[in-house]
Amino acid sequence: MAEAPTPPPADTGLPPPVIVRPRRMRLSLVWIVPVLALFVGALMIVRTLMQAGPEITITFNSADGLEPGRTELRFKEVVVGQVSKVVLSPDRQRVIVTAKLDKSAESLTVDDTQFWVVRPRVGTAGVSGLSTLFSGAYIGVDAGASQESRRKFTGLEAPPFVQRGEPGRSFVLAASDLGSLEVGSPVYYKRIRVGRVVGYTLDAGGDALAVRVFIEAPHERLVREQSRFWNASGVDVSLNANGLAVNTESLASLVAGGLAFATPSEFADSGPAADGQRFVLFRDRQAALAPPDGAPMRVRMVFEQSVRGLTIGAPVELLGIELGSVRAVTLQPDRGGGHYPAEVVAEVFPSRLGAMRAAFNNGTKAAARPDAAFMKRLVEQGLRAQVRTGNLLTGQNYVALEFMPKAAKATLDERAAVPTIPSVPSAFSDLQPQVAEIVARISKIRFDEIGANLNTTLRNASAATGDLQETLKSAGAASRALQEALASANDAIKQLSPEAQRTLGDLRATLQSAQGTLGSLERNLAQPDAPLMRNANDTITEIQRAARALRQLSDYLQQHPESLLRGKPPDPDVNR
């Protein structure tokens, strides 16, 4: 509809008005500031969103030491993020930690990245995380190598013992028993700590144990292809036929257990072991560094004597070389007369004889069972088994394989599953009946009657000495009577003729000589140290000593009959 024409204005003498219509879309300058602020804010938001890293969640058993807004995430001690929230899981069994990573740490969000809480830890493997006493706990990060991205992780409750990129090599040890080993136990080389145990697992059947060790750089080159590992945990104390042996690696191995390794000198030129190579974990150093044993061979021996002191594990030696060990000791059925022989089953390694066995194999045709044929040849040459005492202190015995030229001819059935090696009695078992016979004969000696007879002899000798003294006293009295008779004779001689005086003079000289002899005898008897009395006293004293020694010998032989063979041990030195 068209507008109606505007009527002309009345003539008022004024100029007609000019109508100016305002522009409705005109922007005032006042809005420039808020618009500019909005633009800058939007630009900052976009920049922040572009620089912000990913957000991840980590599940832990406990939130001990974790604080939102303060706990950091560190990779190689570089801060790569921060915890933003900590909440309980829906089942209230775990805690869920939400963390924001930096944009530069986005590559850490892969499938095999590991997270754990770093806090002070004290254990047998050592002390770690002491720096968190001042800075507080933080979440450690070990970057993964996977190409698959991930945002939800399950945290570790303990730090990994080997982080990716750590210089060194890992090896696997096949063991039958873990002993006192645990994760973190040290590994030694010549008593120097060069690595640690980082884990262990059982196989599906549970019969074998795989222990994983990590040797730190630059010591990983010490592990050669022919190196030997053994368990060096605690103190190894063994008391056997070889005596007392004590061995330990270090004080730390007493607490946390430990392993050790070395390379035999004949394999020193072998190449370095590859990462992940498998080795056998031996029970001790002696077993680890022993020459290769080869295939074991079971043999049996039957002894017609007591085998007390022969235990499982006792060595079996051939001419002083340890050939194997005892595996079982049992009694056989009665063969009549209440006699039960002892059967000893042993495991021997003929390969330990080295050149001796090699010479036999080179000089004979190949046999189905070369070790059995080798043992058969030795038996035919006089090889016999004998139980011997290995240690007088402990009473431990061992089995000695010796060549007996005078032994009865015998052979070995090489086709038997467990061949039998002929045996001979031990030398000590032959001596026992002889010792018993000697002791029986000694016990038949009537030492009491001998002592009683010696006492009677001593009393008779003492009585004879008294009679002798009485006789000598009588002789003294006779000497004095002769002196008086001589005096009277002298008076009578003066009244006789010359011829009678000469005759009486001769008689007087004879009587004076007898008087001198009797006087000398009397003087000897009157003196305690006179030769006659001294000889008589010495004779009586020696007889008493002989009787006393005979009684002591009788008592000692009743208490120690074995001294007839071994002799009396020397008396201890009191000056030491």
Side-chain angles (χ1 to χ4, degrees):
M1 181 176 179
E3 283 187 18
T6 303
D11 189 8
T12 59
L14 296 173
V18 178
I19 299 174
V20 178
R21 296 181 178 181
R23 297 179 180 177
R24 298 183 181 275
M25 298 303 295
R26 185 178 181 182
L27 184 64
S28 174
L29 293 176
V30 177
W31 290 101
I32 294 178
V33 175
V35 170
L36 183 60
L38 182 62
F39 176 75
V40 172
L43 185 62
M44 293 180 64
I45 291 174
V46 172
R47 182 179 179 182
T48 300
L49 292 176
M50 292 181 63
Q51 293 182 349
E55 185 176 77
I56 62 174
T57 59
I58 311 170
T59 304
F60 292 103
N61 287 337
S62 172
D64 182 23
L66 302 180
E67 298 182 18
R70 296 188 56 182
T71 303
E72 301 172 339
L73 278 74
R74 299 183 185 180
F75 173 63
K76 294 185 177 181
E77 297 303 321
V78 176
V79 178
V80 295
Q82 191 175 60
V83 174
S84 59
K85 184 172 60 174
V86 179
V87 297
L88 283 173
S89 63
D91 59 359
R92 296 176 296 180
Q93 299 298 317
R94 298 172 66 85
V95 295
I96 300 175
V97 178
T98 303
K100 292 183 177 180
L101 300 179
D102 296 340
K103 182 68 175 179
S104 59
E106 187 174 3
S107 60
L108 298 177
T109 58
V110 293
D111 183 65
D112 53 350
T113 297
Q114 297 178 328
F115 299 87
W116 67 94
V117 179
V118 179
R119 56 172 69 95
R121 300 177 188 273
V122 179
T124 56
V127 180
S128 62
L130 291 180
S131 61
T132 59
L133 292 174
F134 304 98
S135 61
Y138 64 89
I139 297 178
V141 183
D142 184 18
S146 175
Q147 300 296 326
E148 184 179 350
S149 180
R150 189 175 181 182
R151 291 293 187 271
K152 294 183 179 181
F153 299 89
T154 300
L156 304 176
E157 297 304 318
F161 283 91
V162 179
Q163 298 187 22
R164 292 180 179 87
E166 183 176 357
R169 293 177 188 170
S170 296
F171 304 99
V172 179
L173 311 180
S176 59
D177 185 270
L178 187 63
S180 58
L181 296 176
E182 62 179 39
V183 175
S185 295
V187 179
Y188 297 96
Y189 179 79
K190 295 184 177 181
R191 300 187 186 274
I192 299 176
R193 189 181 185 278
V194 296
R196 58 192 184 273
V197 177
V198 296
Y200 50 85
T201 56
L202 281 171
D203 63 359
D207 295 332
L209 184 69
V211 180
R212 181 172 292 275
V213 298
F214 182 79
I215 307 300
E216 303 161 358
H219 306 298
E220 78 278 7
R221 58 183 175 82
L222 299 175
V223 182
R224 320 297 290 184
E225 293 178 347
Q226 299 295 332
S227 293
R228 310 288 177 81
F229 286 80
W230 66 88
N231 197 323
S233 302
V235 179
D236 183 13
V237 180
S238 59
L239 187 62
N240 49 36
N242 295 325
L244 179 66
V246 180
N247 185 31
T248 182
E249 197 69 25
S250 70
L251 182 61
S253 65
L254 296 177
V255 181
L259 301 175
F261 72 94
T263 303
S265 57
E266 60 267 25
F267 301 115
D269 296 334
S270 60
D275 188 29
Q277 181 173 335
R278 296 182 66 90
F279 295 90
V280 175
L281 180 62
F282 293 90
R283 65 180 184 277
D284 53 32
R285 177 185 177 89
Q286 181 179 0
L289 299 182
D293 291 332
M297 174 184 175
R298 289 229 166 191
V299 296
R300 65 186 292 269
M301 297 154 283
V302 179
F303 296 97
E304 303 287 342
Q305 65 183 68
S306 173
V307 290
R308 184 177 183 272
L310 187 66
T311 59
I312 296 176
V316 177
E317 297 183 358
L318 174 60
L319 299 178
I321 298 176
E322 185 171 341
L323 195 62
S325 59
V326 174
R327 292 304 179 191
V329 179
T330 57
L331 291 178
Q332 294 299 296
D334 184 12
R335 294 185 178 180
H339 184 64
Y340 298 89
E343 180 190 55
V344 177
V345 178
E347 192 174 65
V348 297
F349 298 89
S351 298
R352 293 183 180 180
L353 297 178
M356 178 180 177
R357 176 174 175 268
F360 170 79
N361 291 338
N362 293 335
T364 60
K365 296 181 180 180
R369 301 177 63 187
D371 289 338
F374 173 58
M375 297 301 296
K376 179 180 179 181
R377 173 67 64 85
L378 296 181
V379 169
E380 291 175 349
Q381 293 177 354
L383 184 70
R384 299 294 184 269
Q386 189 178 58
V387 177
R388 293 183 179 178
T389 300
N391 193 304
L392 293 176
L393 178 62
T394 62
Q396 294 290 320
N397 292 334
Y398 71 99
V399 177
L401 299 180
E402 296 285 346
F403 289 95
M404 308 290 181
K406 298 181 179 180
K409 292 185 178 181
T411 187
L412 180 142
D413 186 5
E414 58 180 315
R415 295 172 297 178
V418 182
T420 301
I421 297 178
S423 63
V424 294
S426 63
F428 186 74
S429 63
D430 293 339
L431 290 176
Q432 283 181 335
Q434 301 177 12
V435 173
E437 183 179 357
I438 294 174
V439 172
R441 291 182 179 181
I442 293 175
S443 63
K444 292 179 180 180
I445 299 176
R446 300 178 179 180
F447 291 102
D448 295 338
E449 294 182 5
I450 294 175
N453 294 334
L454 284 175
N455 290 332
T456 302
T457 302
L458 291 175
R459 285 195 297 269
N460 294 336
S462 178
T465 303
D467 295 340
L468 179 61
Q469 291 178 350
E470 293 293 333
T471 302
L472 293 176
K473 290 180 181 179
S474 300
S479 176
R480 289 190 295 271
L482 285 174
Q483 290 178 355
E484 294 176 358
L486 287 174
S488 301
N490 288 331
D491 295 338
I493 288 172
K494 294 178 181 179
Q495 300 176 2
L496 296 175
S497 61
E499 291 80 4
Q501 289 181 357
R502 285 194 297 271
T503 302
L504 291 175
D506 295 338
L507 179 59
R508 182 177 60 185
T510 302
L511 292 175
Q512 287 178 350
S513 176
Q515 182 182 6
T517 301
L518 292 174
S520 176
L521 181 60
E522 184 179 7
R523 286 192 301 272
N524 288 335
L525 292 174
Q527 297 178 2
D529 57 347
L532 181 60
M533 295 299 296
R534 186 168 58 251
N535 292 338
N537 292 333
D538 291 345
T539 301
I540 295 173
T541 302
E542 290 299 329
I543 293 174
Q544 291 176 345
R545 290 179 178 175
R548 188 182 304 109
L550 191 58
R551 286 195 298 270
Q552 292 177 354
L553 175 61
S554 175
D555 296 339
Y556 184 81
L557 289 178
Q558 290 179 357
Q559 297 177 2
H560 304 281
E562 71 278 3
S563 61
L564 291 172
L565 299 175
R566 300 182 181 179
K568 183 179 179 182
D571 296 333
D573 190 358
V574 297
N575 295 325
R576 291 185 178 178

